[in-house]
Amino acid sequence: MGNSWLTFQPEKASSFAGQVDALFYVITALTIFFTAAVGITILILVNKYKRGKKADRSNPVHDHQLIEAIWTFTPLVMALAIFVWSTNMYIHMRTMPKHSYEAYVIGKQWMWHIQHPNGIRENNELTVPAGQPVKLTMISQDVIHAFYVPAFRSQYHVVPGRYTSMWFTPTKPGSYHIFCNMLCGTQHSEMVGKVNVLSPKDFAAWLDKSGNRFTETPKTLAQAGEQLFNDMRCGTCHGVENTERGPSLHNLLGSTRVFTNGATQVADEDYLRESMIDPFARITKGYSNTMPVYVYKKQINEEQIRNIIEYIKSLGTTKPASSQPAPAGLR
Amino acid sequence: MSDVIIGTGKGTAVGAPQPDPNTPRVNYLNVSHTLSSWLLTKDHKRIAMLYLFSISIFFAVGGAAAGMVRAELMFPRGSLLQSEGYNRMFTAHGVIMIFFFLLVAIPAVFGNFLIPLMIGARDLAFPRLNLLSWYLYMIAGTLGVTAMLFGGVDVGWTFYTPLSSMYSNGQVTIAILAAFLAGFSSIATAVNFIATIHKMRAPGMTWDKLPLYVWGHYATSVIIILGTPVVAMTLLLVVLERTFGIGFFSPELGGDPVLFQHMFWFYSHPAVYIMILPGFSVISEIIACFSRKKIFGYHFVAYSSMAIAGLGFLVWGHHMYVSSQSMYQGTVFSLLSFLVAIPSAVKVFNWCATMYKGSVWLASPMIYAISFLGLFVIGGLTGMYLAAMATDVHLTATYFIVAHFHYVMVGGTVTAFMGALHFWWPKMTGKMYPENIARYNALIVFIGFNLTFLPQFVAGYLGMPRRYHYYPAEYQPWMILSTTGSTVLGFGMIVPVFYLLWSLKKGKDAGPNPWGAKGLEWETESPPDPHNFHHIPVVTAPVYDYDAEAEERELQGEN
Ligand SMILES: [Cu+2]
Ligand SMILES: [Cu+2]
């Protein structure tokens, strides 16, 4: 981060960084301007009307509608302009891109665990390609954490019990801080890591040799999920077709589910996860609560849940759901 | 204690004629000296002094914790503490300063002391309830401090679930019960203020003759009554989940962790106004007095406090732009957050404009008031970065936030508290402190404060997370600057303890109205009689009835 003694600027390494900084500097300019304006006004008034100093104090003003209106509406207009600018930018940051490289983040006290679609796993390191949107789907295994990469100006909470997501387009190869930015217990400040941004070529090579950690080619997440699916004999009830005992998992993601109580919901990843750890929370219409107990929470961890979701995803989706398959060649 | 001879300040018609000028006048301080006369007192002024004493102790403990935190942050890998101890230290600092100082300080000390005096009443509406508030506060404070110093709580003052409800193994339950009790103490005080302001105003004291001080406390009391029960119940739910495993917030128990944040911030954003509105109200009094002018736009300043009290309840989601709240929700909260900032900005302009054609006296309370204006402007404007969602994504939970809310809470509320202390000390004790030392010390506080917190804005923009015990070395220069500043600030906070205590023994008698201020409290003796007024005053003069021009004419002895 620069080697001068005092640094005033964080590194810019994502497509958001320049945009956020532009807004940041405009607000900074306004802050400095108004602080100086108020400060100088006070100094002038104090000096001019100091006690015992001759000055024109006749006809003091105690109320002035026009002045009040002016100094109400000027900051109002300014604030609204900042609001519109910032909100547009935020909506852009929070709208997940259609096509992106996708990785999965699991936060736990006190480390980051990363799963890549092709099966590469990393701890406290996230390797991503430059020049391409990267989407992270994140979940916590215990308390709330926050995945924060200052160089990307990007941050989002990692919550237990539900998936959250964030995205960014890294622009500059290099290595940048990951901070957990939500107090998560004793070693909170040690829940740090690095994002390694590689050029597209280096990234492809990195994927080919399966990252830094493995020598054998790992299973993709979907393959690992399939194996787990078979090991746990999920296929006994969930086949290609709906069976008497369980609904089919083919084209499940994105389909609209009707439950025994009449409620409906589009099957998203949160729904799939819930169905694995708490199958009786909502039972699909036409079925009963027969799913075996061993699948419940604690029997299956967040990594395994992710694998099975990826496997279900590979069985087809009904319509484009929130997560998109990674570009061909990366899986 | 005091041998003040009755003063003959302007408008002392309410003072009683003294039969013998050599007998010390009976005032609320010397009326009785027994311990039980203090511990069982129902006099709002004595209760205020009890609060002043206890609040100062909690402030000192919270300040010591801050000192430990700052010392620790001199080095990227810490020096004195383990991470567990560090987490406990910043939690203790936050919980003590917020629940046992900022939320309570100005209302419980100066509100208690001054509201009856300012509206021409003999006491608050419910004196026994007032004493009960203090006992609740003391039980809460003692419980909280004991839990944190001896047991340890490491979840931060925000008590986020499921860390607080399922994972932390400190004395979270006791700390929460302490905050819960402190909340009820505040509610009791607020009920008391509202009833008093409605029912006990002297004849002629209409709403538009009320000092802005009273307006500010009225708005604050409304927020306390509407908001505090919500946080009290929320914290109780955390205790239920923690001790009995009843699921509200933990997904493992079928709860929703983010629900806690909604309920917590529903109170805790308005709580910012509980802390700052009384500060505003102090600043209005000081600036009016030391500019010898009615506050510019009196009605606007009065009603804007009420507007802030209402709008303040609709912006809590600005704490949750990165915490799985929908972006449309975020958009609404962002817009409302920008809107709620406007009344505060306009107040600042009004205070500045008050000095125009005034007669500005740079006495120590006024120096604190001016320093409040400067610091609060920075605190308020830096709120824009955080109301704006795109910049907040980068800055939230970094040192930028820490700097921002310290500008509001310390630069604002604590500076106002110091201003109030210097302004009304002569009224409360009948004694003057050494004015020159006080003025220079106000400057030291101002410089120390800025040196402490300006560097934290930069560290935050560079991405340094708050609540980090270990941090990358690149942030160290900013941490060293900040710790240096905090030493200066700490020095500036200790000095007044000495000269104020000194003034009790050796200070010059203040007389009823040393500042030549307007307002009913200045028409009583200093220190006031046990029952404030011998005859309930009838108010005929307008509020802030100053005449800068006439006073200057007299002062300059010409024309
Ligand atoms: Cu964490
Ligand atoms: Cu807020």
Side-chain angles (χ1 to χ4, degrees):
Chain A
M1 275 225 163
N3 38 16
S4 63
W5 189 72
L6 281 185
T7 323
F8 285 89
Q9 257 206 314
E11 240 172 320
K12 286 191 187 51
S14 83
S15 60
F16 298 147
Q19 303 171 24
V20 171
D21 284 2
L23 178 57
F24 183 94
Y25 291 130
V26 168
I27 302 179
T28 304
L30 289 171
T31 301
I32 292 173
F33 173 78
F34 278 97
T35 306
V38 168
I40 291 169
T41 308
I42 291 174
L43 290 182
I44 291 175
L45 289 174
V46 166
N47 184 47
K48 183 156 183 208
Y49 298 106
K50 208 170 189 166
R51 202 161 93 115
K53 189 166 171 177
K54 264 195 203 139
D56 175 17
R57 295 183 172 87
S58 57
N59 308 316
V61 197
H62 298 299
D63 275 300
H64 199 293
Q65 301 280 335
L66 182 65
I67 289 179
E68 295 274 9
I70 290 172
W71 68 36
T72 303
F73 285 103
T74 314
L76 184 65
V77 168
M78 191 186 90
L80 289 180
I82 299 282
F83 163 75
V84 170
W85 183 6
S86 143
T87 301
N88 274 325
M89 197 185 298
Y90 177 80
I91 286 176
H92 169 64
M93 292 161 94
R94 293 301 312 151
T95 308
M96 296 304 132
K98 287 249 153 48
H99 300 286
S100 56
Y101 178 74
E102 194 165 358
Y104 302 93
V105 176
I106 295 168
K108 51 185 151 189
Q109 288 177 324
W110 290 277
M111 65 171 296
W112 296 108
H113 184 74
I114 314 286
Q115 292 172 283
H116 290 268
N118 74 348
I120 296 178
R121 300 190 297 176
E122 297 180 273
N123 284 335
N124 296 330
E125 263 178 83
L126 166 64
T127 306
V128 290
Q132 183 190 134
V134 174
K135 180 187 167 193
L136 303 179
T137 300
M138 314 184 287
I139 195 159
S140 163
Q141 213 163 278
D142 37 51
V143 301
I144 299 176
H145 305 274
F147 193 90
Y148 175 35
V149 183
F152 293 172
R153 313 289 185 273
S154 194
Q155 161 163 231
Y156 213 73
H157 280 189
V158 180
V159 182
R162 76 171 68 156
Y163 291 110
T164 58
S165 49
M166 62 191 278
W167 75 282
F168 42 77
T169 303
T171 49
K172 200 169 99 186
S175 176
Y176 310 100
H177 291 297
I178 301 169
F179 293 132
C180 172
N181 202 13
M182 172 50 67
L183 178 61
C184 60
T186 309
Q187 293 175 54
H188 167 55
S189 70
E190 289 162 89
M191 191 167 162
V192 297
K194 290 281 181 193
V195 190
N196 300 315
V197 179
L198 303 180
S199 70
K201 215 179 93 198
D202 291 346
F203 186 69
W206 182 85
L207 281 179
D208 272 350
K209 64 174 179 41
S210 306
N212 319 318
R213 306 264 178 285
F214 302 92
T215 44
E216 88 280 15
T217 307
K219 290 192 180 68
T220 66
L221 296 185
Q223 285 164 349
E226 182 175 16
Q227 179 167 12
L228 196 58
F229 188 86
N230 293 332
D231 291 350
M232 293 169 83
R233 302 173 165 276
C234 308
T236 328
C237 302
H238 300 284
V240 180
E241 299 295 327
N242 290 339
T243 71
E244 219 168 273
R245 280 177 294 187
S248 161
L249 304 182
H250 285 254
N251 297 327
L252 169 61
L253 200 65
S255 66
T256 303
R257 312 305 289 173
V258 183
F259 303 114
T260 45
N261 65 2
T264 60
Q265 181 186 338
V266 174
D268 56 10
E269 295 191 355
D270 276 317
Y271 168 74
L272 297 188
R273 183 180 172 281
E274 180 196 85
S275 302
M276 277 179 251
I277 60 167
D278 191 6
F280 306 150
R282 286 179 288 184
I283 296 168
T284 308
K285 200 170 181 187
Y287 297 91
S288 53
N289 52 346
T290 49
M291 201 156 129
V293 157
Y294 70 79
V295 196
Y296 287 27
K297 154 182 62 182
K298 305 276 183 191
Q299 307 274 337
I300 178 172
N301 65 29
E302 295 294 347
E303 274 172 66
Q304 294 168 321
I305 293 174
R306 169 51 55 195
N307 293 341
I308 293 180
I309 290 179
E310 292 306 300
Y311 172 59
I312 295 175
K313 226 191 253 178
S314 74
L315 298 176
T317 56
T318 292
K319 57 180 177 185
S322 59
S323 338
Q324 290 295 314
L330 294 182
R331 303 193 68 137
Chain B
M1 189 166 189
S2 153
D3 54 354
V4 182
I5 306 302
I6 184 168
T8 51
K10 282 177 255 175
T12 45
V14 288
Q18 287 287 342
D20 176 5
N22 294 320
T23 338
R25 186 178 58 82
V26 174
N27 62 49
Y28 82 100
L29 289 171
N30 67 9
V31 65
S32 171
H33 294 287
T34 61
L35 187 63
S36 67
S37 76
W38 279 94
L39 294 181
L40 298 176
T41 182
K42 293 186 282 295
D43 182 343
H44 66 104
K45 301 181 290 303
R46 283 193 158 209
I47 295 174
M49 294 309 263
L50 289 176
Y51 265 117
L52 179 59
F53 176 73
S54 26
I55 269 166
S56 306
I57 289 175
F58 288 121
F59 186 75
V61 177
M68 289 289 281
V69 168
R70 284 304 338 152
E72 196 66 10
L73 289 173
M74 288 278 281
F75 305 99
R77 302 293 298 174
S79 51
L80 305 165
L81 299 168
Q82 302 295 310
S83 288
E84 190 175 48
Y86 177 80
N87 294 353
R88 290 175 170 185
M89 212 45 91
F90 71 66
T91 302
H93 168 64
V95 171
I96 293 173
M97 287 306 203
I98 289 174
F99 290 103
F100 306 125
F101 181 80
L102 289 167
L103 283 169
V104 196
I106 295 180
V109 177
F110 299 104
N112 248 330
F113 196 97
L114 294 165
I115 288 175
L117 289 170
M118 284 184 170
I119 66 172
R122 292 229 154 93
D123 205 318
L124 287 175
F126 309 114
R128 283 186 190 82
L129 184 65
N130 196 17
L131 183 62
L132 177 68
S133 301
W134 181 71
Y135 275 102
L136 283 177
Y137 168 80
M138 285 308 285
I139 295 170
T142 315
L143 205 62
V145 169
T146 315
M148 286 182 293
L149 293 192
F150 300 106
V153 181
D154 62 353
V155 296
W157 79 274
T158 44
F159 293 101
Y160 266 30
T161 55
L163 178 64
S164 64
S165 62
M166 304 291 288
Y167 286 86
S168 166
N169 47 21
Q171 300 298 329
V172 175
T173 304
I174 301 181
I176 283 181
L177 291 177
F180 184 83
L181 276 180
F184 276 90
S185 162
S186 296
I187 293 173
T189 303
V191 169
N192 222 338
F193 285 176
I194 290 182
T196 307
I197 294 168
H198 269 281
K199 304 304 284 184
M200 297 180 65
R201 283 170 286 128
M205 180 56 89
T206 54
W207 286 90
D208 61 0
K209 282 184 190 159
L210 275 187
L212 290 166
Y213 184 89
V214 180
W215 271 106
H217 277 78
Y218 184 79
T220 308
S221 303
V222 170
I223 306 177
I224 291 175
I225 286 179
L226 293 179
T228 314
V230 177
V231 79
M233 289 307 135
T234 310
L235 290 175
L236 216 53
L237 296 184
V238 173
V239 170
L240 289 179
E241 181 165 289
R242 194 177 161 83
T243 30
F244 301 109
I246 305 173
F248 295 105
F249 307 118
S250 167
E252 283 169 42
L253 303 173
D256 179 350
V258 182
L259 175 66
F260 173 85
Q261 295 169 33
H262 282 288
M263 294 169 74
F264 179 81
W265 290 114
F266 177 81
Y267 162 79
S268 293
H269 183 80
V272 172
Y273 298 115
I274 298 178
M275 301 183 235
I276 196 70
L277 282 178
F280 286 173
S281 66
V282 165
I283 297 308
S284 290
E285 297 303 308
I286 295 179
I287 291 190
C289 169
F290 292 96
S291 305
R292 296 294 193 257
K293 278 271 302 287
K294 182 179 177 178
I295 289 293
F296 188 89
Y298 166 90
H299 287 101
F300 182 89
V301 176
Y303 300 151
S304 65
S305 293
M306 300 305 290
I308 288 172
L311 267 180
F313 278 103
L314 304 175
V315 300
W316 76 88
H318 62 210
H319 298 267
M320 301 173 63
Y321 295 150
V322 299
S323 83
S324 64
Q325 157 185 274
S326 101
M327 60 185 176
Y328 304 106
Q329 234 175 320
T331 303
V332 175
F333 282 123
S334 176
L335 178 62
L336 290 169
S337 302
F338 276 108
L339 294 184
V340 77
I342 303 293
S344 304
V346 177
K347 276 181 198 247
V348 170
F349 299 144
N350 283 352
W351 286 320
C352 294
T354 302
M355 289 182 238
Y356 176 68
K357 294 201 170 183
S359 160
V360 181
W361 178 7
L362 289 179
S364 52
M366 186 64 168
I367 296 188
Y368 278 110
I370 289 175
S371 119
F372 171 99
L373 290 182
L375 301 178
F376 180 73
V377 163
I378 297 178
L381 287 163
T382 50
M384 277 202 299
Y385 297 85
L386 308 167
M389 295 187 285
T391 35
D392 183 70
V393 167
H394 173 53
L395 298 171
T396 189
T398 66
Y399 265 86
F400 194 95
I401 290 272
V402 177
H404 160 71
F405 70 68
H406 279 87
Y407 264 86
V408 177
M409 305 282 72
V410 183
T413 308
V414 175
T415 306
F417 180 87
M418 296 300 286
L421 191 61
H422 287 78
F423 188 39
W424 284 295
W425 182 262
K427 175 52 62 188
M428 298 168 93
T429 65
K431 298 291 182 181
M432 292 306 288
Y433 47 83
E435 169 67 8
N436 270 333
I437 298 179
R439 292 168 71 191
Y440 284 113
N441 191 63
L443 271 181
I444 290 174
V445 171
F446 181 80
I447 292 165
F449 176 84
N450 281 302
L451 189 53
T452 309
F453 292 106
L454 274 178
Q456 296 188 6
F457 280 122
V458 186
Y461 175 52
L462 294 175
M464 179 171 175
R466 70 190 286 200
R467 294 170 170 170
Y468 256 35
H469 182 217
Y470 300 150
Y471 59 86
E474 69 222 41
Y475 301 120
Q476 191 180 14
W478 302 104
M479 293 295 106
I480 291 177
L481 275 178
S482 178
T483 301
T484 313
S486 71
T487 324
V488 179
L489 178 59
F491 174 78
M493 298 311 283
I494 289 172
V495 172
V497 175
F498 290 101
Y499 66 69
L500 289 177
L501 289 178
W502 176 90
S503 79
L504 288 179
K505 287 264 170 249
K506 306 248 171 99
K508 275 205 301 265
D509 285 345
N513 192 359
W515 311 117
K518 303 283 178 180
L520 290 182
E521 82 267 33
W522 300 108
E523 294 183 18
T524 63
E525 303 302 328
S526 303
D529 295 348
H531 293 288
N532 301 353
F533 302 97
H534 286 267
H535 307 286
I536 292 297
V538 176
V539 181
T540 49
V543 66
Y544 304 121
D545 193 15
Y546 292 105
D547 186 343
E549 198 184 16
E551 204 168 309
E552 283 290 338
R553 210 179 294 135
E554 208 173 295
L555 198 71
Q556 297 177 19
E558 41 178 63
N559 296 343

